[in-house]
Amino acid sequence: MKTQHERGENTQLRAENDKLRADNMRYREALSNATCPNCGGPTAIGEMSFDEHHLRLENARLREEIDRISAIAAKYVGKPVVNYPLLSPSAPPRPLDLGVGGFGGQSSVGGEIYGAGDLLKSIGAPTEADKPMIIELAVAAMEELIRMAQMGEPLWSESLDGISSSVLNEDEYMKTFPRGIGPKPAGFNTEASRESAVVIMDHINLVEILMDVNQWSTVFSSIVSRAATLEVLSTGVAGNYNGALQVMTAEFQVPTPLVPTREIYFVRYCKQHGDGAWAVVDVSLDNVRPSPIVRCRRRPSGCVIQEMPNGYSKVTWVENVEVDDRGVHSLYKQLVNSGHALGAKRWVATLDRQCERLASAMATNIPNTDVGVITSQEGRKSMLKLAERMVISFCAGVSASTAHTWTTLSGTGADDVRVMTRKSIDDPGRPPGIVLSAATSFWLPVLPNRVFDFLRDENSRSEWDILSNGGVVQEMAHIANGRDTGNCVSLLRVNSANSSQSNMLILQESCTDSAGSFVIYAPVDIVAMNVVLNGGDPDYVALLPSGFAILPDGSAMQGGNDQQAVGSGGGSLLTVAFQILVDSVPTAKLSLGSVATVNNLIACTVERIRASLSCESA
């Protein structure tokens, strides 16, 4: 059968070759008999211009790339992908298909959430007719990403402060890249930025993280609330991800209920560019799934990775998004409009921070800064793994994800408390029953780094933590997992002033980078924690994480950095979130007492934090 198949292909190739020869002879004859339309005499065929020659070479290379990817896709899809037309530059864009339903496919972050109106329609795998267009769009997006990562002015210009990400010139962009997914929809804002950094991870491992939906959504858990791979068009060649193509869905978040999430249906394409150089690009599939509901479109975005000595990698990230941000609360308007809420700087800062964290988790020697009750390498790894799950759970439950429905409880303005309920059944990592989550966001006239230092310090915990009940907080274990001294995992013991009350253990992780900070904690059972400290499995420790997300208010992005004085406009956006376990009853029958309890807990905490930090800043 293989021999017959090859003979058939050879026959087809010979026929195509004969056809090309005949066309070639016909063109030669036409050229030899060409006449001038003005005088009727013979014409002299001059040399083509340099620009035309360059464009022809570029088109030939892109066609070769498309053919190669088509062959790879055909190998895994089972149906050849050939004979398709090029996308027309003037083709009108078709909007993204977002409706009502669930992701479908392989989901990664999150849990069973009920009582919510999911805005994401259940998106199925692409049809055979869609795949040629998806492949061609991915190849064109890769070309655009590489050029955008390398080009300078006038396409990119430095920010006014000289510290923030590079700023895109939209007019120059449309002239340089007239094709793609079409013009920007009416009412949408463009958020485009570029950022570079050197991270402590091998380039091959970085590519693997980006191309594995579970690893990607775990590393970027503060940005990616949900993600799924709908279909793998190509797994790559030669045992790696070179040429890999995936159709995916994802939901991007800001850690607050006041900023709507962004749902994207896109293709991800990975390609190797020489030794030690890789690129991974995403582009929205608006041209494939039409829908009237389009709130966000991702033009070619992603990163270019270059191998560096000693296992490091240089990452250049380009983020180019068009979004309808009319649903953003006024408190976060400035941060979102600056492009830093979900821009390239936040992606790179998060990646850099997570690479540090992963390097710490894989370290074989216990640093001298690690103190306390951790006596073994296994115990250290188990505690870090437990803290990672706590952070992921917190981030998945604090944003305005379409998997939740937040209900406003009290008051008006920025200090409204949002609550939601989640059902926990047969989850060894969460206590069974109804989990009531509450969150609020507010502005503080204090720099983010000062708010972070205040909240993570165990010596100042009694000033805001109502649950510690005035007890003395003692750090029993400390694991440093980053360059900044604030990046660490701690095990705290609250020694109650009342001797009749048992002492309480608190697992806490504090992490900070140039884009934001988190202080996340959860009460833990003493017996279960002893198992973890001895190297036991941390997945069976029940956690209900609470904590804080600290972001700059956006004013520093306009004319300074986050270290500027408060008097010049710098401040913090602080989100406070709590989770409590209530009785296992239907949501409709949740007692008013439970809601009032968590509402009062939020209000008292906010009041204490404001009082402490406002007095200090004054």
Side-chain angles (χ1 to χ4, degrees):
M1 289 179 63
K2 182 178 179 181
T3 303
Q4 291 176 355
H5 180 67
E6 290 178 351
R7 287 176 180 171
E9 286 185 339
N10 289 336
T11 303
Q12 182 181 0
L13 290 173
R14 289 193 189 97
E16 291 181 359
N17 200 11
D18 292 339
K19 182 181 178 181
L20 289 174
R21 283 199 185 96
D23 289 343
N24 196 8
M25 293 296 296
R26 183 164 53 86
Y27 292 147
R28 285 177 182 272
E29 183 178 358
L31 286 174
S32 62
N33 296 327
T35 58
C36 176
N38 294 327
C39 65
T43 59
I45 308 298
E47 296 182 358
M48 70 175 66
S49 67
F50 174 80
D51 290 339
E52 183 180 358
H53 180 67
H54 179 74
L55 287 174
R56 290 189 180 220
L57 289 176
E58 185 177 2
N59 287 341
R61 183 172 56 81
L62 288 174
R63 172 57 63 182
E64 181 182 353
E65 178 77 5
I66 293 172
D67 292 341
R68 186 175 67 84
I69 298 300
S70 299
I72 296 172
K75 178 181 177 182
Y76 295 98
V77 173
K79 183 178 180 180
V81 184
V82 293
N83 299 328
Y84 53 89
L86 284 171
L87 290 176
S88 173
S90 59
R94 289 186 286 170
L96 188 61
D97 185 13
L98 296 176
V100 180
F103 262 141
Q106 180 187 10
S107 184
S108 55
V109 177
E112 182 181 3
I113 317 271
Y114 71 101
D118 192 351
L119 298 179
L120 279 175
K121 185 178 180 180
S122 182
I123 302 176
T127 64
E128 292 296 327
D130 293 336
K131 291 172 184 176
M133 184 179 293
I134 292 175
I135 292 171
E136 184 165 355
L137 186 61
V139 172
M142 177 63 72
E143 181 75 13
E144 180 174 321
L145 174 70
I146 296 299
R147 293 178 63 188
M148 290 189 70
Q150 296 173 346
M151 294 177 70
E153 293 185 351
L155 182 65
W156 295 101
S157 60
E158 295 301 321
S159 59
L160 296 177
D161 57 18
I163 299 175
S164 304
S165 307
S166 300
V167 180
L168 181 70
N169 184 324
E170 290 189 53
D171 294 335
E172 188 68 25
Y173 170 79
M174 294 308 299
K175 287 191 297 184
T176 308
F177 306 103
R179 297 177 54 149
I181 60 177
K184 180 171 65 176
F188 278 43
N189 290 330
T190 297
E191 296 178 10
S193 55
R194 182 177 66 180
E195 188 78 11
S196 296
V198 176
V199 300
I200 180 171
M201 182 172 287
D202 181 77
H203 63 291
I204 299 298
N205 292 331
L206 277 178
V207 170
E208 183 178 347
I209 287 174
L210 295 171
M211 298 306 296
D212 184 313
V213 66
N214 290 315
Q215 293 190 61
W216 176 62
S217 53
T218 296
V219 168
F220 294 101
S221 60
S222 63
I223 301 176
V224 182
S225 55
R226 293 190 296 167
T229 299
L230 300 182
E231 183 167 346
V232 177
L233 299 182
S234 170
T235 58
V237 294
N240 57 38
Y241 283 104
N242 185 24
L245 269 168
Q246 301 176 1
V247 177
M248 305 174 66
T249 53
E251 185 180 56
F252 300 145
Q253 65 179 352
V254 178
T256 174
L258 303 183
V259 178
T261 54
R262 301 174 179 181
E263 305 90 5
I264 313 277
Y265 174 56
F266 61 98
V267 60
R268 175 164 292 176
Y269 175 37
C270 177
K271 182 183 177 184
Q272 185 176 7
H273 297 268
D275 293 337
W278 292 75
V280 178
V281 66
D282 298 343
V283 62
S284 289
L285 296 178
D286 292 14
N287 294 61
V288 177
R289 293 297 174 94
S291 169
I293 307 175
V294 181
R295 296 187 179 90
C296 182
R297 304 196 319 165
R298 205 171 190 207
R299 288 186 177 273
S301 304
C303 63
V304 177
I305 304 168
Q306 179 64 53
E307 181 183 13
M308 301 286 285
N310 303 322
Y312 285 71
S313 301
K314 181 182 179 181
V315 176
T316 300
W317 200 288
V318 174
E319 196 67 17
N320 191 4
V321 175
E322 297 166 345
V323 61
D324 179 3
D325 58 6
R326 286 172 289 187
V328 176
H329 193 282
S330 58
L331 197 65
Y332 282 82
K333 275 285 187 182
Q334 192 168 13
L335 178 65
V336 173
N337 290 341
S338 69
H340 286 72
L342 288 168
K345 181 176 182 179
R346 188 173 173 215
W347 284 96
V348 169
T350 302
L351 178 62
D352 186 25
R353 169 75 195 101
Q354 290 294 338
C355 287
E356 281 189 355
R357 198 182 187 285
L358 290 172
S360 173
M362 293 185 293
T364 56
N365 59 323
I366 300 178
N368 295 330
T369 53
D370 291 359
V371 297
V373 295
I374 304 175
T375 58
S376 67
Q377 182 67 22
E378 291 74 18
R380 184 175 183 273
K381 288 183 177 180
S382 294
M383 186 167 165
L384 286 173
K385 186 177 179 183
L386 180 62
E388 179 185 60
R389 178 162 63 84
M390 177 181 67
V391 171
I392 292 173
S393 178
F394 173 84
C395 292
V398 75
S399 72
S401 171
T402 56
H404 323 145
T405 291
W406 290 96
T407 303
T408 303
L409 275 188
S410 63
T412 58
D415 287 349
D416 290 345
V417 176
R418 269 75 171 177
V419 294
M420 70 170 178
T421 54
R422 295 186 292 167
K423 182 166 57 177
S424 175
I425 299 176
D426 298 329
D427 183 356
R430 187 180 286 123
I434 303 296
V435 177
L436 184 63
S437 298
T440 191
S441 299
F442 60 98
W443 180 79
L444 279 171
V446 185
L447 293 175
N449 60 331
R450 177 59 198 125
V451 178
F452 174 70
D453 290 338
F454 170 76
L455 292 173
R456 73 179 180 88
D457 188 357
E458 68 271 14
N459 296 321
S460 60
R461 193 179 190 95
S462 59
E463 296 183 38
W464 59 264
D465 190 357
I466 300 172
L467 298 179
S468 64
N469 198 24
V472 178
V473 180
Q474 177 187 3
E475 187 177 54
M476 299 178 61
H478 179 98
I479 301 176
N481 61 359
R483 293 187 295 262
D484 193 288
T485 55
N487 290 321
C488 64
V489 176
S490 304
L491 183 63
L492 309 175
R493 180 172 62 192
V494 180
N495 299 315
S496 175
N498 188 347
S499 59
S500 63
Q501 295 180 353
S502 60
N503 293 336
M504 178 174 60
L505 292 181
I506 296 175
L507 177 67
Q508 175 175 294
E509 172 154 356
S510 59
C511 52
T512 183
D513 55 50
S514 59
S517 307
F518 292 88
V519 176
I520 302 168
Y521 63 92
V524 289
D525 181 73
I526 296 178
V527 176
M529 201 62 214
N530 282 330
V531 174
V532 172
L533 294 174
N534 290 323
D537 188 355
D539 291 340
Y540 293 93
V541 179
L543 291 175
L544 283 178
S546 301
F548 308 91
I550 310 159
L551 296 176
D553 61 6
S555 60
M557 311 300 181
Q558 306 299 327
N561 57 57
D562 59 0
Q563 304 298 322
Q564 67 182 11
V566 177
S568 59
S572 303
L573 296 173
L574 181 61
T575 296
V576 184
F578 285 99
Q579 296 186 41
I580 64 171
L581 183 69
V582 298
D583 295 334
S584 301
V585 295
T587 311
K589 297 182 180 179
L590 277 176
S591 66
L592 294 177
S594 300
V595 176
T597 298
V598 72
N599 192 20
N600 291 334
L601 184 62
I602 286 269
C604 292
T605 302
V606 170
E607 184 179 351
R608 289 188 175 193
I609 292 174
R610 272 183 165 151
S612 298
L613 289 175
S614 296
C615 291
E616 181 181 289
S617 62

